[in-house]
Amino acid sequence: MAYKKRKHEPRLKPSHKTARQKFAFYAIQLGALWNTVVFSDEKKFNLDGPDGWQFYWHDLRREEQSFFTRQNGGGGIMIWAAFSYHGKSELRFISTTQKSGDYIYTLSEYMLPFAHLHYGLDFQFQQDNAPIHTSRETKSWLEEQGVTMLEWPSMSPDLNPIENLWGILARRVYANGRQYHSLEDLKKAIIKCWSEIDQNTLKSLVRSMPERCREVLEKKGGKTRF
């Protein structure tokens, strides 16, 4: 038995569960087409670690480690990234107060070059339902670019494999309870750890999509273990 932090789970209403089941029923039939989906998301990293929690294996022969805390985690960095079966995009460091125009710039300069490099025009783009993602301005721009969207159900971070990728990245950035004294040091660590995530990890995450969908159907739209 181990003492573990409780996971945050979205509160799913009946309408959310219905939408998740509808999505899963459609998505489970995609098969190999999952290899052409570009997954995307934003993530914040604090100087003091994710959510102020620190975990490490303690060697009983050594003095216990400690860590310091600062207000709001000592400040942080927000990043955007995308990945697919064939690779991962360049990281984009963004402001925490993004507007639709800022997001469109990210898609134009980071998402599209990545997607076109690997798929030409033959790909589907995944994003969650954040306001700047679903604004009229963003939707119009995506339509103008001819981007095929993967319709995504609300309250479904467990269906997005990039959430697992963020977890992998965070564990490497904050390995052994590491903290950072400057945003520049944190930025360098994020870039380094992102570059070290290998192709097999990305492929494994994409291959998990059919299983995620099956579990949604089995649980009648409920939260999955992912």
Side-chain angles (χ1 to χ4, degrees), residues 20-80:
R20 283 163 59 87
Q21 289 183 83
K22 182 178 179 181
F23 168 81
F25 181 77
Y26 158 77
I28 202 170
Q29 303 174 61
L30 288 179
L33 287 178
W34 279 116
N35 294 357
T36 67
V37 174
V38 174
F39 297 92
S40 70
D41 196 17
E42 295 88 3
K43 176 70 174 178
K44 185 178 181 183
F45 287 79
N46 293 322
L47 290 173
D48 293 346
D51 303 323
W53 285 79
Q54 297 283 327
F55 296 93
Y56 70 100
W57 288 106
H58 173 53
D59 185 339
L60 295 177
R61 297 167 297 178
R62 298 178 180 272
E63 184 177 348
E64 289 188 11
Q65 296 178 14
S66 62
F67 68 97
F68 57 88
T69 59
R70 292 168 284 203
Q71 187 174 7
N72 298 323
I77 291 175
M78 183 76 76
I79 64 174
W80 174 95

Side-chain angles (χ1 to χ4, degrees), residues 6 11 13-15 41 43 53 80 92 100 125 129-130 135-136 142-143 145 148 152 155 168 190 213:
R6 288 192 182 94
R11 183 177 179 82
K13 298 178 181 179
S15 59
D41 196 17
K43 176 70 174 178
W53 285 79
W80 174 95
R92 162 96 161 122
S100 295
F125 178 54
N129 295 293
S135 69
R136 182 180 302 175
L142 287 165
E143 289 175 4
Q145 301 303 313
T148 301
W152 200 254
M155 307 294 284
I168 293 168
I190 292 171
C213 293

Side-chain angles (χ1 to χ4, degrees), residues 86-155:
H86 293 293
K88 54 187 185 293
S89 74
E90 182 182 350
L91 292 176
R92 162 96 161 122
F93 291 85
I94 60 177
S95 165
T96 56
T97 56
Q98 292 278 287
K99 296 182 179 179
S100 295
D102 302 313
Y103 183 58
I104 289 172
Y105 177 84
T106 298
L107 298 182
S108 175
E109 300 301 313
Y110 290 80
M111 187 278 285
L112 283 184
F114 168 75
H116 290 165
L117 173 65
H118 292 288
Y119 304 105
L121 299 176
D122 190 18
F123 70 95
Q124 295 189 68
F125 178 54
Q126 180 279 337
Q127 60 178 5
D128 65 22
N129 295 293
I132 61 171
H133 298 174
T134 58
S135 69
R136 182 180 302 175
E137 185 179 355
T138 299
K139 285 183 175 180
S140 295
W141 184 86
L142 287 165
E143 289 175 4
E144 290 172 2
Q145 301 303 313
V147 175
T148 301
M149 300 299 298
L150 181 63
E151 294 298 325
W152 200 254
S154 298
M155 307 294 284

Side-chain angles (χ1 to χ4, degrees), residues 139-221:
K139 285 183 175 180
S140 295
W141 184 86
L142 287 165
E143 289 175 4
E144 290 172 2
Q145 301 303 313
V147 175
T148 301
M149 300 299 298
L150 181 63
E151 294 298 325
W152 200 254
S154 298
M155 307 294 284
S156 300
D158 56 319
L159 292 179
N160 193 349
I162 203 170
E163 294 290 344
N164 304 96
L165 192 56
W166 290 146
I168 293 168
L169 179 60
R171 285 192 292 275
R172 296 186 181 191
V173 170
Y174 302 110
N176 299 313
R178 184 176 181 185
Q179 294 176 279
Y180 296 87
H181 293 280
S182 73
L183 294 179
E184 186 59 29
D185 287 342
L186 175 58
K187 181 177 179 179
K188 289 178 181 178
I190 292 171
I191 293 172
K192 179 178 182 294
C193 292
W194 180 252
S195 71
E196 293 172 347
I197 294 176
D198 63 85
Q199 193 70 26
N200 287 333
T201 297
L202 305 179
K203 290 181 177 180
S204 177
L205 289 173
V206 174
R207 290 192 190 110
S208 72
M209 288 308 301
E211 188 175 356
R212 293 172 195 252
C213 293
R214 281 192 292 272
E215 192 164 330
V216 168
L217 294 174
E218 290 170 0
K219 295 188 175 181
K220 302 187 185 305

